[in-house]
Amino acid sequence: MKLSYKLWTLVSACAVGLLVGLSQNSAKADSAAIQQDGWTLPASSVSNAGQRASVPTIALQADGTLHSAFKQGSTVDLQDNDPYHTSSTDNGNTWSIPQAIRIDPATFVVDKVVIEVGTSGVLHAAWVERDPVDERYDLLYSSNSGSGWSPAQTVESVENQFVIDQPSMVLEGGQVHMVWASTGTIRYSKRSSGTWSIPIEIEDSSSELPEIAIDSAGTLHVVFLQSRDTLVARYSQSTDGGVTWTPDISLSGSGRDLNDVDLDVSGTEVHVVYSAADVIGSVIDPIASTQTVRPYHRRCIGSCTSVSSWTVESLVSNFDAGNVPADAILLVPTVSVTDNGEALVFFHGVLAENTNFEQVLGNCFEPDTSFGKSFKLPTSFTERMIKPQIIYNDGVMHMVYEQIRGQAASATFQQIHYAQLEVSCYDMYLPLINRS
């Protein structure tokens, strides 16, 4: 466990004092926000009231401006939605009125809208739209340098019997690297000087849900899920700017069936998290009514193309999440690495204390140890809180998540909310003897 970076203060009484760990300072939200269990929860939502919004992503600009993107549309028609963007210049306390990145009444956004922001403040967004009339899926991209969103560029288009899903982007100078799943393959393209390269295949067999990151040496890292009887996590990298990719290797342990995967880099360290159910014999968690899905973590410090360079698969949370209701298993893990090398891993799931509504849960831990802290996003147990996405900076974790109120279809509505957490991963108490 690292100690040198901690900030400590002495608190002495008559004869005995405590050495207490203090978290780093961050800007405070105003009185309209709720402060609870270390969390700052602004009163208003990020998305528009009266609209159905879901699947948020988050990005942080160098000047501290926060950006979020999501799909938003009608509360009645699930196929009436478009990609939206909003920002906050006051540490997440208030957000601008969401603006559409693109409006097309004939199409609808399939999944998340990913957003990234460059060092110069230029915004980049990508998403997938389905046109039910033309029977087509389109992977679209748009940018915003301050004067509004550009007309959408089509990165790839496929006919309706095939599917494009889940783009993931990372920036490198003026270039945009993007991966996505298309017709069961993992695809890659790079945008340079305003033009997208011809997509290439990283993996060509029954694969989905890719994520991409770039390290301080310029190496591109990609993880994805692949169907091999069960879903397993696979990894590949490129050291030449996406021109060539290494043969992919398996990261998840045997006896696991995965739901989702994510990654983050710190320097040249690569952190991967995934959620997985146990496989007993040839059956995935045979007692379906008590299915349990847990988050796992692996880290690579160098030579990541060799499985032996990765740490052993480790369980990162003592939270167990069952599937009551049926869609409420632990899903969508998201990871961000702190300045001190600790891993923040958040996800959503159902706990025994709240069996009707999902909660946002998380852990902060030193990789390769079991010592750390668990977190729960405060809830009144009247809403489902799912699909958290996090980003860490200077002692503070910023989160956007989807909040669903009501169980009946007529009463259900979805909004995007923001939460902030001052991160203190470890507490320590040591005796101090004062001489009188």
Side-chain angles (χ1 to χ4, degrees), residues 227-357:
S227 178
R228 295 192 173 189
D229 293 329
T230 60
L231 284 173
V232 299
R234 309 288 294 180
Y235 166 86
S236 180
Q237 71 171 227
S238 173
T239 58
D240 57 9
V243 177
T244 60
W245 293 83
T246 61
D248 55 277
I249 61 173
S250 178
L251 292 185
S252 53
S254 60
R256 306 270 185 258
D257 184 56
L258 275 60
N259 291 295
D260 211 336
V261 64
D262 192 24
L263 83 163
D264 192 25
V265 296
S266 176
T268 56
E269 289 189 8
V270 184
H271 295 252
V272 172
V273 295
Y274 46 85
S275 57
D278 292 335
V279 178
I280 301 174
S282 61
V283 181
I284 301 170
D285 199 354
I287 306 175
S289 62
T290 59
Q291 184 184 56
T292 298
V293 183
R294 300 183 178 94
Y296 294 88
H297 170 271
R298 296 192 75 172
R299 177 181 63 159
C300 174
I301 299 176
S303 302
C304 296
T305 55
S306 171
V307 176
S308 62
S309 297
W310 291 81
T311 58
V312 296
E313 178 185 76
S314 60
L315 186 65
V316 302
S317 175
N318 56 3
F319 292 129
D320 282 344
N323 67 341
V324 183
D327 64 343
I329 56 178
L330 186 155
L331 287 173
V332 196
T334 176
V335 61
S336 189
V337 182
T338 73
D339 301 326
N340 305 315
E342 299 143 339
L344 286 165
V345 179
F346 276 76
F347 44 89
H348 74 257
V350 170
L351 299 180
E353 65 197 65
N354 181 19
T355 57
N356 292 317
F357 296 95

Side-chain angles (χ1 to χ4, degrees), residues 50-67:
Q51 295 283 294
R52 179 191 295 269
S54 60
V55 202
T57 57
I58 189 170
L60 179 64
Q61 197 169 324
D63 65 0
T65 300
L66 288 162
H67 299 273

Side-chain angles (χ1 to χ4, degrees), residues 360-380:
V360 169
L361 311 167
N363 280 74
C364 183
F365 62 96
E366 185 92 11
D368 313 323
T369 74
S370 59
F371 186 64
K373 186 180 291 186
S374 299
F375 302 97
K376 298 179 187 178
L377 188 67
T379 176
S380 61

Side-chain angles (χ1 to χ4, degrees), residues 391-431:
I391 192 166
Y392 170 91
N393 183 63
D394 195 23
V396 176
M397 185 190 75
H398 305 273
M399 174 193 290
V400 287
Y401 62 97
E402 185 178 324
Q403 183 188 84
I404 306 174
R405 291 182 179 269
Q407 293 280 27
S410 60
T412 297
F413 68 92
Q414 297 165 273
Q415 291 185 329
I416 306 305
H417 281 259
Y418 167 84
Q420 182 183 114
L421 178 68
E422 289 192 45
V423 177
S424 176
C425 294
Y426 300 91
D427 294 324
M428 179 172 286
Y429 303 93
L430 299 176

Side-chain angles (χ1 to χ4, degrees), residues 76-88:
V76 178
D77 184 356
L78 296 179
Q79 296 187 0
D80 179 13
N81 64 62
D82 294 288
Y84 277 78
H85 159 256
T86 181
S87 61
S88 172

